[in-house]
Amino acid sequence: MNRRQFLASAGLAGTTVLAGCGSLSSQSTRAPPLVENRPDATYRPTHAEGMGMAGIAQAGEYMVGLSYSFPHRFWTVTGTTAEKVDIRSEDSVHLMATIWDPETEMVLPVSAGLSITIERDGETVADKSPWPMISQNMGFHYGDNYALGGDGVYQLSVRVNGMGERRLGALEGRFNEAGEATVEFDFAQNTRDQLSFEEFPDSQGERAAVDLMNMDMVPTSQVPEVSALPGTVLGTDKGSDGVYAVTWLQDAAFLADGESYLAVSARTPYNRVPLPMMSLDGTVEADSETLFEDALTAAVHPELGYHYGAIVETAAQAPSVSVDVVAPPQVSRHEGYETAFLTAPSFSFASG
Amino acid sequence: MTERGISRREFAKSAVAIGGTAALAACLDRGSGTIPRGTDDLSSLPDRQHAWDASLATDDAGNHRLSRHHVLLLFDYASDGPPTDADREQVESALRDLERAYEWSNEGLLFTLGYSPAYFDRFEADVAGVDLPEPMALAPFEDPELDTPDALLHLASDDERAVIAAEEALKGNRDTVNDHEMSATFEGVLREAERRTGFVGAGLPAENQDVDGVPDSEPVPEEAPLFMGFKSGFKENQASEDRVTVDSGPFAGGATQHLSKIRLQLQQWYEQDSRDQRVSKMFCPAHAAEDKVEGVGENLGTDNGAGECPEDVVDSGRREGVVGHAQKMSRVREDGTPTLLRRDFSSTDGGEAGLHFLSLQRSIADFVATKQAMNGTDVANDSAVGQRVNNGILQYMTVTRRGNYLLPPRSLRSLPRANPDT
C-alpha cells in the first residue's frame, strides 16, 4: 500500500465512522461559525477545546512538551494581514509543541522555530515546521493541524533550533545549539473525542479571553504581572489591545557600570501571554538629550520573561521613553486573537 | 498496462528517476524521434565544461532554458592513490564517446564532471589556484550530511533517453549510445556511490507531484517549472558563465560547483499560505502588493524584479514582517551582477519532493556569501521576521546534503592532478 492509498483508506474509515455516529467529530460541531462583527481586539472565541498530552522529552538544553487537541482553524500572520487556515477533512489533530527551560520553567518563544517529523512503521506521515502561535488557553506554542492515518503509535521527532534572541542573566550562554528528541505518541480517535469541547454561545465575541489552561507537566507561557517586573516601571500602554509595560533597569547583574536597560514587555490582555516576533523602535531621552534611538532587540531574562530591550549608556534614573511598534507580532493566532495585535501603535512616557 | 502493473504514462514520467536498463528499454520502446548526433571534431566543443548557455534553448523572453531531465552520479575513484594515466585515458575516452554520440545541446546531451575535496586529498599538493573547501553546514538551523564521494557527473538533456542511455553506457551496461559504439566506460575506474535525478520545466513538476512533501490536493500548477510553483533562473538574476569561470592558474576555464539536496515541505505553502503570502515570500512583499507576478512569473521577462524590492532587507523586514527570497538574494551582487549561476532542478528521489540546488560560481566563497544572505539571520535577529517563518522560503525546505566540487576545464576533466602543471 502506498502513502496515498494508506491515507485515503484511513480518511475513508474516518468518514464512515462519522457518518455512523454523526455527532461529536463532525466538522460543523468542531468549528462553530465565527463570531460576526469580531472586534479588532482580543475577544472570547466561540469555543475552547481540551488538550491531551502526546509526550514530553528533553531535546538538548530544551524541554519539549507535545500535546494535541481537535484540529482547528487558525490564522497565519504576514505583516499586518491574518490569513485564515481552514481545517481539512483529513486533519485529525492540532498538534502543539511547547519549549521551555527546565531550570527556570520559562516557556521560550524561539523565533528560530522547530520542525516535527511524524513517522509510523517507518513511513513518513508528516514533515513540517509548525507555526509559532498564540492561543488564549494554550499560550505561546508551535502548532499546526496534522492528518494522521488513524489509531496507532506514531514517532514524533522534534528538532528545536538554537535561539537567536538575546539571552540575559541566568539564560546567558545557553540555548545556542539545536536539540533533538523523539517521543512516541499513541493516538486514538476515541481518546481525542473525549477531550472537552466547550462552546460559549452567550459570551462569544465579548472583549474577554478564555483562561489559560493549567497543565501538570508543561509550564504556562506567561510574562510577569507589571507589578512584578524588575526595575522601575515607567508606564504601561494598551496600544491596540496589546498591553505594553516599559521598565528601566539600572542594577541588573548583566549591566556594566554606567549602563541601564530599557525593557518593553508586550503581552496579551487578560492572560499575559508574551507577544513575540515584533519589530519595535525605542527612544530614550534625559535632560533634553537623546541617549538612544534604535531598534529594540528581542530578549529573554528569567525575571523579565520574553521582552524587547536595549542597553543604554546612561545612569539617568527616570528618562523619557517612546516606543514605536514597527511591525506587529508575526505569530499565528488561534481564534480570539486573529483580529488583535495587527496594527503598529506608538506610545511614550515622559519623565515626571 | 505493462506486466508490472504500471500504466505506460505512469512509468514514462518516472523513467529517469527509476533509471537502469528496464527504464531505458521502456523509453526507447516508447520512442519519439531521433536524438541529434554529436561531432567527430571534438576541438569544436567549448573549452569550458560548463559552457552550456550557448547550446541551450531560450524561452520567449530570452532566458536560457535548462535541459528538462537530469541525472547526478556521484562516483568514488577505484583506488586510494593518485590516478594512473591509463585510468585517466579510460575516463577521457568514455566522455569523448558521449560527445561523438550526442550533440552538445539541450536536445542532445550536456554534461560536466567535477571533483571533490576528498578526491584531491590523494595528492600531496593542494588544488592549484582554486580554494576548494570541504562542504559544511551553512546555517545554524541546518544539519546536512556532507558528500564525500570523489567525483560528480551531471548529465542533462531534454530527452530522457539520452541521460539514461549515457549513464548506462558509462556504467558498462550497454555497448552503444545513440547508435555510436562506446570504446571505453567508467568500469573499474569510477564506481557509483550515489544516484540522484530530477527535472525542470513546465509540466514536469505537476506530472510528478504524487510524492511526500506535496499535499494530496495536487496544487502544483501545470505550467510551473519547479515544485514551488514559480519560475527562477531569470537571465538578469543569474551570473554569466564568464563570471563563474576560474580566471587564472592551471584550472583557468573551470568553475566551482556546489550541490545541495533540499527536501521540500509544501503543504503549508500550498494549502495555508495565500497567493500574496507566496509572492511575498518568494519575491518580496512589494511584488505582492503591486500584483507584479502573474501565474508562475512568465510575465517578469528576464528579471525577477528584486532590484525594485526595498534594498535594505533588515529595514524592510522590520516594517513588513516578511522578507522575500529574491529580495534577500539581490543583496549579493558584485559590480551589479549576481555571482551564482543556478542550474537547479526539482526531484522526486526517495519519493520526496526535493530540489537539487546545483550552482556554479568562481569560488565556493561566492556560494557561502549568497547562502548567508538567504539565511537572513541578521533580519531574524533584528526584526519581527522569524529565522524561518516569513523569512523567504526557508520555512518550507530542509537541506539534507551538501557537496563542493571543482569543474576543471575540459582539457583537465579526466582525473586531474591537484596541480596539473607539475
Side-chain angles (χ1 to χ4, degrees), chain A residues 54-74:
Chain A
I56 287 181
Q58 181 134 14
E61 288 185 90
Y62 297 107
M63 284 300 295
V64 180
L66 291 158
S67 55
Y68 70 100
S69 187
F70 299 98
H72 49 236
R73 57 194 170 207
F74 60 88

Side-chain angles (χ1 to χ4, degrees), chain B residues 17-54:
Chain B
I18 293 167
T21 47
L24 180 58
C27 261
L28 292 174
D29 182 35
R30 202 163 49 93
S32 59
T34 56
I35 303 175
R37 302 281 176 82
T39 175
D40 284 327
D41 178 14
L42 298 183
S43 68
S44 66
L45 295 172
D47 296 335
R48 298 171 180 172
Q49 291 197 74
H50 58 282
W52 291 15
D53 284 355

